[in-house]
Amino acid sequence: MGKRTLLISHTHSAVDNVLLRLTTDSDVKFVRLGAPDKVHYLLRPHNLETLLSKQISSNVSRSDPSWSTALCSQLVKYVDEIMTQSTLVGCTALAAAGHEALARRKFDVVVVDEATQLLLPTALGGLLRLEPDSSQFVLVGDENQLPPLVQSSVARDLGLGTSLFAHLSGIVHRHGNTQVPEEADSLGSCLVQLKAQYRMNSHILRLANTLFYNDAMECASDEVANRTLELNQSIIGGSTSWLNRVLASKIEDSVIFLDTQSICKHLGGNSNLIEIDIVYKVVAAFTKRGISTNDIGVIAPYRVQVDFLIERLRGDKFVETDLIPSSPAVEVSTADQFQGRDKPLIIVSFVDCLRQKGRQTDTVVIKLHT
């Protein structure tokens, strides 16, 4: 369509998750703003700083005594060339508000992904980048997913915890069956609810529908509904009964809850040694049966649990056997950092999901899809 588009989101990972899907599309010329170490390694060739380094090394000779002067005079030109050649720019919402490369640029379309996680003031950076006329501001999100993170209870009570997405959609929902105010009437035609999904098979979707969506979501096709992981079934034996259930290939076993209450053992604080060991064994078993480490995601609610899991999976402090090779390809992160990401195999370590009348329950959830 040739429209200049700005893609923003709350986290680097959410921006990268969209752009990674465009790396094989030669028709889309895009640039990724942000520090290279914050950008997914597959997107670094599209990173502005990386592209600038290549331009500078090719056109500015450091043997020239005046190379620094030449660099300064050319830098603005190089940035302008790269940005002009790109029809799509991706960055975090905070970068959209203050990145120098965007200072004099306007866009026909601004897309905000994972919009329900974005603080309302933070969304203003994207709005400021729109052309005054004939522009579109697109918010993509799910109110059943993570809201903005606001630590102050006072700020939350005063409305800072309500995203722009939730605020605008709330206007429509509140007045949907009553007298519609002018602002809701104008928004009504812009609110589109997407019900077909491509990630979850029917049994995983049943869990999501029961907990959050009141059976409103549906699989996009029979293929999606019946999809399961393909495991190497020639490897048998050597597994405990609970692990055999986890490894079962039946679609009915696409979601497995492992209750660790009776064997709970905390490291202290927000960590759980038993669940670290369970996650390790599950990852080892799946990789042994042909699942690539790059297809596995491990999620925990607490940063300290994530750090311990990374150490264990990468063969550091908690390694006791050679069940799996040291590999950073198993992606381990907190729920908010994993927002917008997807993997064929997801393992969730809840650490400490329920405290009631002195009774503590720890659960690991296994979600399988392809």
Side-chain angles (χ1 to χ4, degrees), residues 144 195 205-217:
N144 288 300
K195 297 182 179 181
L205 180 60
R206 181 185 300 172
L207 177 64
N209 266 331
T210 301
L211 293 176
F212 305 112
Y213 299 112
N214 296 317
D215 293 325
M217 296 292 291

Side-chain angles (χ1 to χ4, degrees), residues 21 142 144-145 194-229 251-255 341-346 348 365-370:
R21 288 163 165 77
D142 182 349
N144 288 300
Q145 295 188 18
L194 305 178
K195 297 182 179 181
Q197 60 80 36
Y198 296 82
R199 286 179 171 176
M200 299 175 280
N201 67 27
S202 58
H203 281 260
I204 299 173
L205 180 60
R206 181 185 300 172
L207 177 64
N209 266 331
T210 301
L211 293 176
F212 305 112
Y213 299 112
N214 296 317
D215 293 325
M217 296 292 291
E218 57 189 33
C219 293
S221 66
D222 290 340
E223 179 187 0
V224 173
N226 297 309
R227 197 180 293 164
T228 59
L229 282 180
I251 193 170
E252 293 82 1
D253 294 317
S254 293
V255 181
R341 306 281 291 121
D342 55 72
K343 296 282 185 177
L345 171 61
I346 295 291
V348 183
V365 179
I366 313 298
K367 298 201 301 183
L368 311 181
H369 63 95
T370 56

Side-chain angles (χ1 to χ4, degrees), residues 65-76:
S66 61
W67 74 270
S68 59
T69 303
L71 173 60
C72 291
S73 64
Q74 294 295 317
L75 194 57
V76 174

Side-chain angles (χ1 to χ4, degrees), residues 265-297:
K265 182 179 180 182
H266 280 273
L267 289 174
N270 296 320
S271 299
N272 187 310
L273 179 60
I274 292 297
E275 290 194 9
I276 291 171
D277 186 57
I278 289 173
V279 170
Y280 180 86
K281 290 177 180 177
V282 171
V283 170
F286 274 106
T287 55
K288 188 177 180 180
R289 286 160 178 79
I291 300 300
S292 169
T293 51
N294 193 48
D295 288 334
I296 301 174

Side-chain angles (χ1 to χ4, degrees), residues 94 120 157 169 192 242 318 363:
L94 287 175
L120 194 152
D157 293 341
S169 61
V192 179
W242 67 265
F318 293 105
T363 308

Side-chain angles (χ1 to χ4, degrees), residues 12-289:
H12 287 283
S13 60
V15 175
D16 290 346
N17 193 44
V18 177
L19 295 182
L20 283 169
R21 288 163 165 77
L22 299 175
T23 54
T24 57
D25 189 341
S26 58
D27 293 331
V28 180
K29 182 79 172 178
F30 69 87
V31 61
R32 172 70 161 90
L33 306 184
D37 63 330
K38 299 292 186 181
V39 176
H40 192 284
Y41 72 95
L42 290 176
L43 293 173
R44 286 174 191 166
H46 301 272
N47 177 251
L48 178 62
E49 292 188 25
T50 304
L51 294 170
L52 283 175
S53 296
K54 290 175 64 176
Q55 285 272 37
I56 292 169
S57 61
S58 300
N59 297 287
V60 178
S61 174
R62 296 202 176 199
S63 61
D64 185 345
S66 61
W67 74 270
S68 59
T69 303
L71 173 60
C72 291
S73 64
Q74 294 295 317
L75 194 57
V76 174
K77 173 188 173 184
Y78 294 150
V79 171
D80 186 65
E81 287 178 354
I82 293 170
M83 297 295 289
T84 301
Q85 293 169 4
S86 303
T87 56
L88 171 64
V89 178
C91 64
T92 62
L94 287 175
H99 200 288
E100 296 87 345
L102 297 174
R104 296 179 300 278
R105 299 195 175 275
K106 298 293 183 180
F107 294 86
D108 303 308
V109 181
V110 172
V111 179
V112 185
D113 193 27
E114 305 295 347
T116 55
Q117 200 179 4
L118 201 63
L119 291 169
L120 194 152
T122 313
L124 297 178
L127 280 169
L128 293 173
R129 300 303 172 198
L130 281 170
E131 287 282 8
D133 302 313
S134 302
S135 56
Q136 292 177 295
F137 189 63
V138 182
L139 297 168
V140 182
D142 182 349
E143 291 182 75
N144 288 300
Q145 295 188 18
L146 290 175
L149 177 61
V150 180
Q151 294 185 332
S152 169
S153 58
V154 175
R156 280 198 304 273
D157 293 341
L158 291 175
L160 189 60
T162 302
S163 66
L164 179 61
F165 183 100
H167 178 71
L168 294 178
S169 61
I171 293 175
V172 177
H173 292 315
R174 283 196 303 272
H175 301 281
N177 298 317
T178 60
Q179 185 176 1
V180 181
E182 182 179 348
E183 66 268 28
D185 187 42
S186 62
L187 288 169
S189 61
C190 300
L191 181 62
V192 179
Q193 293 182 320
L194 305 178
K195 297 182 179 181
Q197 60 80 36
Y198 296 82
R199 286 179 171 176
M200 299 175 280
N201 67 27
S202 58
H203 281 260
I204 299 173
L205 180 60
R206 181 185 300 172
L207 177 64
N209 266 331
T210 301
L211 293 176
F212 305 112
Y213 299 112
N214 296 317
D215 293 325
M217 296 292 291
E218 57 189 33
C219 293
S221 66
D222 290 340
E223 179 187 0
V224 173
N226 297 309
R227 197 180 293 164
T228 59
L229 282 180
E230 295 183 7
L231 301 177
N232 183 353
Q233 300 297 339
S234 64
I235 301 175
I236 58 175
S239 298
T240 59
S241 58
W242 67 265
L243 191 52
N244 284 332
R245 178 74 187 283
V246 169
L247 295 169
S249 59
K250 296 179 181 178
I251 193 170
E252 293 82 1
D253 294 317
S254 293
V255 181
I256 301 293
F257 290 84
L258 300 176
D259 189 349
T260 63
Q261 174 181 288
S262 61
I263 55 173
C264 174
K265 182 179 180 182
H266 280 273
L267 289 174
N270 296 320
S271 299
N272 187 310
L273 179 60
I274 292 297
E275 290 194 9
I276 291 171
D277 186 57
I278 289 173
V279 170
Y280 180 86
K281 290 177 180 177
V282 171
V283 170
F286 274 106
T287 55
K288 188 177 180 180
R289 286 160 178 79

